[in-house]
Amino acid sequence: MVDIPKEIKTWQMVTPYGKNGKTGEILTGKIEKTTIPVPDLKEGEVLVEIAGCGVCHTDLGFFYDSVPTVNKPPLTLGHEISGKVVSGDSKWVGKEVIIPAAMPCWNCALCKTGRGNRCLAQKMPGNSMGIYGGFSSHIPVPSTDLCEVKERGKTPLSCLAVIADAAVTPYQAAKRANLQPGDNVIVIGCTGGVGQYQLQEVKALGAKTVIGIDINSERLQKSLNYGADFIINSMGKSPKEVTGEFKDICRSTGLVSYGWKIFEVSGSKPGQEIGLSLLGFTGKLIIVGFNTAKVEYSISRLMAFDAEIIGTWGSFPGYYPIVMDMALSGRINIDNFVETRPMSSIVETFDEIHHTGSPEKRIVLIPDF
Amino acid sequence: MVDIPKEIKTWQMVTPYGKNGKTGEILTGKIEKTTIPVPDLKEGEVLVEIAGCGVCHTDLGFFYDSVPTVNKPPLTLGHEISGKVVSGDSKWVGKEVIIPAAMPCWNCALCKTGRGNRCLAQKMPGNSMGIYGGFSSHIPVPSTDLCEVKERGKTPLSCLAVIADAAVTPYQAAKRANLQPGDNVIVIGCTGGVGQYQLQEVKALGAKTVIGIDINSERLQKSLNYGADFIINSMGKSPKEVTGEFKDICRSTGLVSYGWKIFEVSGSKPGQEIGLSLLGFTGKLIIVGFNTAKVEYSISRLMAFDAEIIGTWGSFPGYYPIVMDMALSGRINIDNFVETRPMSSIVETFDEIHHTGSPEKRIVLIPDF
């Protein structure tokens, strides 16, 4: 039984925050409830009734920090989406799905040479899929890359929204790092929205020793239950001091200090500087988080160390079923890292995260139009 | 017929250049001719009568620039060595060989996990093999990693000394870059002692388009005969200007501007800055050259680009026969890039290279004691 709507109800970003170029006056952004037509579905497209949509820092960047969306406002934000197919391609209708945060074109040279995660024509809900985004009752999307949800037990469909982006990005990062059972791993920013999955997934994939680094003692303590064998609180410490603590852990446990795979997920300049300081012989530093700051580094050290710095962008849609299985089989925990709220709290929720920073749990908004 | 000597004649670095810590006075370095005893060969060791030893910038760093050798002076420098086995393990005696510039211990965790090129206990003639180095009549070395020279035709054995280090380092770099037929490649510093082999080898390994970048017009012009399809003279240009010329080449030839593998061989800060500027979507920057300068870079760009910076150190001894075959079969040219001189010119030769910079041809010193 499916329910085909006459129109899509949505929380549309009418205008993002901005600044008057002449006066410097802050121009307040506006997100408001509205309705948009249900479009005619093209061949291969489906209409998904949204169960939940996660709030990501990327959304806040679009709204507050002048990061431009590919499609100009007004448009609806939101790209961590789960839901149920209600219309379109008949073999999908009635199925529960996770919508990939980015869908490659599968038609360009990058896609055709196995780099589709970095397809330059990729489509992202809430950014480059016309006016459509996840903070809505429904969304039209291509069916090609949908991840079918099966046997989800007691896990609410809404919670599985976090698989998109938050939980698959770390999996792609682990693949880029060629993570192997027995590897020693450091996760910088291990208690953040993406970092907590990075921590859990490297452990689930067989990492031997995992060190979590972050700046919140309470959350760091909890991370010992979710993948971390050791923790370092880097608050107020120099990269050299953090590296000293790392070496102390190596000494006390008899672990070698070379060959570590270091995931920098904090996306902060101090986090990146810690990562560079920790990088040693045959090590890999994987850049998962983003910021616009420059860092100073002698890249010749990479030569002397036979070491690497690897950037990782997005995720292949094909990894979604794998990460979903990890979650549904309990190899990684998502239930304890998700908080659901009614979608009508979107303005307050955005405002709260914008002011208080990374929440301990990913907030998933559930349509309550 | 082999000739076992009673003693080894050698040009020993008695003291490197230095500076009086108090007065700042420059302390002149000293290389002088002397003799040292032939040691008792241990199990698995051989004595090699040296045919030639290449002069590498690493030697000059040890002598002029306060780069410390692992074994303290007095010792003999020189690690690009070819010669003939005259004593020791009977299955080697009489054979012509190239001695690897660095020999892994094959006994540590790095060696046992396939990273022997970066073995921390590796032995290097002219640095960490006791007092022994290549600027000598003979040298005792382990036979384990020797590269046997076969069917060298008219190529003098002395010239094959450059296989060690100068010609295998680029091969290791190409392996680290996972170079594939059809790849598009840029070589920065393509006319230097290592760069000219980097250029030739990427082409020999099947690179589609190769762009050579350096600062000497005449040598750049020649490099069009040795692997380069296009050249850019970067003298006096900003990284942005060089990148502009690169994009012009892409536009005029219909090549994509992403996915290029960029080998930074110059070991200069400007070269590294050009490399970072050229690095684009899904690209790889391979750091082959060394200097101690820091560069400024937003490493988050690696994330946005899904790109990598890869350091590469030394070479596996197992690659020596492959590179030697490339040279002897004419797939790369070494004859036109080697100049031989009598070893008695060592002091003048060091001085000349130190003052005039990278010579067009690698200078190989031939024992004339």
Side-chain angles (χ1 to χ4, degrees):
Chain A
M1 289 297 294
V2 292
D3 200 10
I4 305 172
K6 293 202 174 56
E7 55 189 11
I8 295 172
K9 292 164 186 157
T10 189
W11 287 94
Q12 197 174 59
M13 178 174 78
V14 182
T15 47
Y17 275 78
K19 201 188 247 182
N20 184 308
K22 285 179 188 165
T23 65
E25 183 200 2
I26 299 293
L27 307 170
T28 307
K30 192 157 114 184
I31 290 175
E32 69 179 19
K33 188 158 79 167
T34 186
T35 57
I36 52 178
V38 176
D40 291 335
L41 296 176
K42 298 189 202 111
E43 177 79 27
E45 284 188 338
V46 295
L47 188 71
V48 175
E49 181 183 43
I50 292 172
C53 180
V55 180
C56 174
H57 276 270
T58 305
D59 297 313
L60 273 66
F62 290 143
F63 189 52
Y64 293 104
D65 302 330
S66 305
V67 180
T69 49
V70 171
N71 292 121
K72 298 300 149 228
L75 87 166
T76 302
L77 299 176
H79 55 270
E80 294 187 5
I81 311 168
S82 58
K84 190 175 179 177
V85 176
V86 293
S87 175
D89 191 341
S90 61
K91 72 173 187 285
W92 279 99
V93 173
K95 288 184 177 167
E96 293 182 343
V97 295
I98 301 166
I99 300 172
M103 287 163 267
C105 77
W106 297 122
N107 203 31
C108 68
L110 283 168
C111 283
K112 290 180 178 179
T113 54
R115 299 299 287 266
N117 65 305
R118 188 48 285 190
C119 169
L120 297 175
Q122 64 187 190
K123 295 291 181 192
M124 178 178 170
N127 181 24
S128 53
M129 289 193 56
I131 61 170
Y132 306 106
F135 301 122
S136 306
S137 63
H138 298 77
I139 186 168
V141 290
S143 62
T144 319
D145 290 319
L146 291 175
C147 168
E148 186 180 351
V149 178
K150 293 179 195 170
E151 299 170 15
R152 64 179 161 85
K154 288 179 182 167
T155 303
L157 180 58
S158 57
C159 287
L160 290 174
V162 299
I163 299 293
D165 206 11
V168 297
T169 297
Y171 188 83
Q172 174 88 19
K175 288 296 225 184
R176 280 283 276 166
N178 191 25
L179 191 82
Q180 299 292 329
D183 279 347
N184 293 323
V185 171
I186 298 168
V187 178
I188 302 167
C190 69
T191 74
V194 175
Q196 59 207 9
Y197 295 115
Q198 191 74 66
L199 201 60
Q200 293 193 75
E201 289 174 25
V202 295
K203 199 67 183 180
L205 290 168
K208 179 185 176 189
T209 309
V210 181
I211 301 177
I213 299 179
D214 215 319
I215 54 173
N216 180 315
S217 286
E218 201 182 325
R219 290 198 206 171
L220 269 172
Q221 210 60 42
K222 279 193 197 163
S223 72
L224 290 167
N225 301 323
Y226 297 100
D229 300 300
F230 300 92
I231 50 177
I232 298 175
N233 189 328
S234 61
M235 178 65 100
K237 291 173 192 161
S238 69
K240 203 176 164 186
E241 287 170 318
V242 174
T243 304
E245 290 192 31
F246 159 70
K247 290 195 172 163
D248 287 344
I249 292 173
C250 292
R251 263 189 293 272
S252 68
T253 53
L255 289 166
V256 294
S257 62
Y258 55 78
W260 287 68
K261 291 178 179 170
I262 306 158
F263 293 81
E264 204 307 297
V265 193
S266 77
S268 69
K269 185 175 176 179
Q272 293 182 342
E273 288 173 335
I274 289 169
L276 289 167
S277 172
L278 288 168
L279 188 58
F281 289 105
T282 71
K284 291 185 183 186
L285 173 59
I286 299 95
I287 306 297
V288 189
F290 184 86
N291 74 79
T292 54
K294 289 184 176 182
V295 292
E296 271 208 328
Y297 185 65
S298 166
I299 59 173
S300 298
R301 295 179 76 178
L302 299 177
M303 178 264 195
F305 287 162
D306 210 46
E308 291 157 65
I309 309 178
I310 301 171
T312 176
W313 175 264
S315 176
F316 280 105
Y319 292 155
Y320 279 66
I322 299 171
V323 177
M324 182 181 66
D325 282 349
M326 290 173 86
L328 294 177
S329 65
R331 293 170 65 210
I332 62 169
N333 181 303
I334 60 169
D335 299 5
N336 294 356
F337 295 98
V338 173
E339 176 190 336
T340 56
R341 295 184 185 180
M343 202 169 276
S344 54
S345 77
I346 183 169
V347 174
E348 297 75 23
T349 297
F350 269 43
D351 198 51
E352 181 187 320
I353 303 176
H354 185 232
H355 284 98
T356 60
S358 177
E360 188 172 354
K361 298 185 175 188
R362 194 70 153 190
I363 296 169
V364 171
L365 300 179
I366 297 179
D368 61 336
F369 294 97
Chain B
M1 289 297 296
V2 292
D3 199 12
I4 306 172
K6 293 199 174 59
E7 56 189 10
I8 294 172
K9 292 165 188 157
T10 189
W11 288 94
Q12 196 175 59
M13 177 174 79
V14 183
T15 47
Y17 274 78
K19 201 188 247 182
N20 185 309
K22 285 178 187 165
T23 64
E25 183 201 359
I26 298 293
L27 307 170
T28 308
K30 191 156 115 187
I31 290 175
E32 67 178 21
K33 188 158 78 165
T34 185
T35 58
I36 53 178
V38 176
D40 290 335
L41 296 176
K42 298 190 202 111
E43 177 80 29
E45 283 187 341
V46 295
L47 188 71
V48 174
E49 182 186 41
I50 292 173
C53 180
V55 180
C56 174
H57 276 270
T58 306
D59 297 312
L60 272 65
F62 290 143
F63 188 52
Y64 293 103
D65 303 329
S66 304
V67 179
T69 49
V70 171
N71 292 122
K72 297 300 147 228
L75 86 167
T76 301
L77 300 175
H79 54 271
E80 294 188 4
I81 311 168
S82 57
K84 188 174 180 180
V85 177
V86 292
S87 174
D89 190 342
S90 62
K91 72 172 187 286
W92 280 99
V93 172
K95 289 184 175 166
E96 294 183 341
V97 296
I98 301 165
I99 300 172
M103 288 162 268
C105 77
W106 297 122
N107 202 32
C108 69
L110 284 168
C111 283
K112 290 180 178 178
T113 55
R115 300 299 287 267
N117 64 305
R118 187 50 284 191
C119 169
L120 298 175
Q122 64 188 189
K123 295 291 181 193
M124 178 178 170
N127 180 23
S128 53
M129 289 193 57
I131 60 169
Y132 306 106
F135 300 121
S136 306
S137 63
H138 297 78
I139 185 169
V141 291
S143 62
T144 319
D145 290 319
L146 291 175
C147 169
E148 186 180 350
V149 178
K150 292 180 196 169
E151 298 169 17
R152 65 177 160 86
K154 289 180 182 168
T155 305
L157 180 58
S158 57
C159 287
L160 289 173
V162 299
I163 298 293
D165 208 10
V168 296
T169 297
Y171 188 85
Q172 174 87 20
K175 288 297 225 182
R176 280 284 276 167
N178 190 25
L179 190 82
Q180 299 292 329
D183 279 347
N184 292 322
V185 170
I186 298 167
V187 178
I188 302 167
C190 69
T191 73
V194 176
Q196 59 207 11
Y197 294 115
Q198 192 72 67
L199 201 61
Q200 292 194 74
E201 290 176 24
V202 295
K203 198 68 183 180
L205 290 168
K208 180 186 175 188
T209 308
V210 181
I211 301 177
I213 300 180
D214 215 318
I215 53 173
N216 180 316
S217 285
E218 199 183 328
R219 290 198 206 172
L220 270 171
Q221 209 60 40
K222 279 193 198 165
S223 72
L224 290 167
N225 300 323
Y226 297 100
D229 300 300
F230 299 92
I231 50 176
I232 298 176
N233 189 330
S234 62
M235 178 65 99
K237 292 175 191 160
S238 70
K240 204 176 164 185
E241 287 170 317
V242 174
T243 304
E245 290 192 31
F246 160 69
K247 289 195 173 162
D248 287 343
I249 292 172
C250 291
R251 261 188 295 273
S252 68
T253 53
L255 289 166
V256 294
S257 62
Y258 55 78
W260 286 68
K261 291 178 178 168
I262 305 157
F263 294 79
E264 205 306 297
V265 193
S266 77
S268 69
K269 186 176 176 178
Q272 293 182 342
E273 288 173 336
I274 289 169
L276 289 167
S277 173
L278 288 168
L279 188 58
F281 289 104
T282 70
K284 291 186 182 185
L285 173 60
I286 299 95
I287 306 296
V288 190
F290 184 86
N291 72 80
T292 55
K294 289 185 176 183
V295 291
E296 271 209 328
Y297 185 66
S298 168
I299 59 173
S300 298
R301 295 179 77 179
L302 299 177
M303 179 264 196
F305 287 161
D306 210 47
E308 291 157 66
I309 310 178
I310 301 171
T312 177
W313 175 264
S315 176
F316 279 106
Y319 292 155
Y320 279 65
I322 299 171
V323 177
M324 182 181 66
D325 283 348
M326 290 173 85
L328 293 177
S329 65
R331 293 170 65 211
I332 62 169
N333 180 304
I334 60 169
D335 299 5
N336 295 355
F337 295 98
V338 173
E339 175 190 338
T340 56
R341 296 186 185 179
M343 202 170 275
S344 54
S345 76
I346 183 168
V347 174
E348 296 75 24
T349 297
F350 269 43
D351 198 53
E352 180 187 320
I353 303 177
H354 185 233
H355 284 98
T356 59
S358 177
E360 188 172 355
K361 298 185 176 189
R362 195 68 153 190
I363 296 169
V364 171
L365 299 179
I366 297 179
D368 61 336
F369 294 97

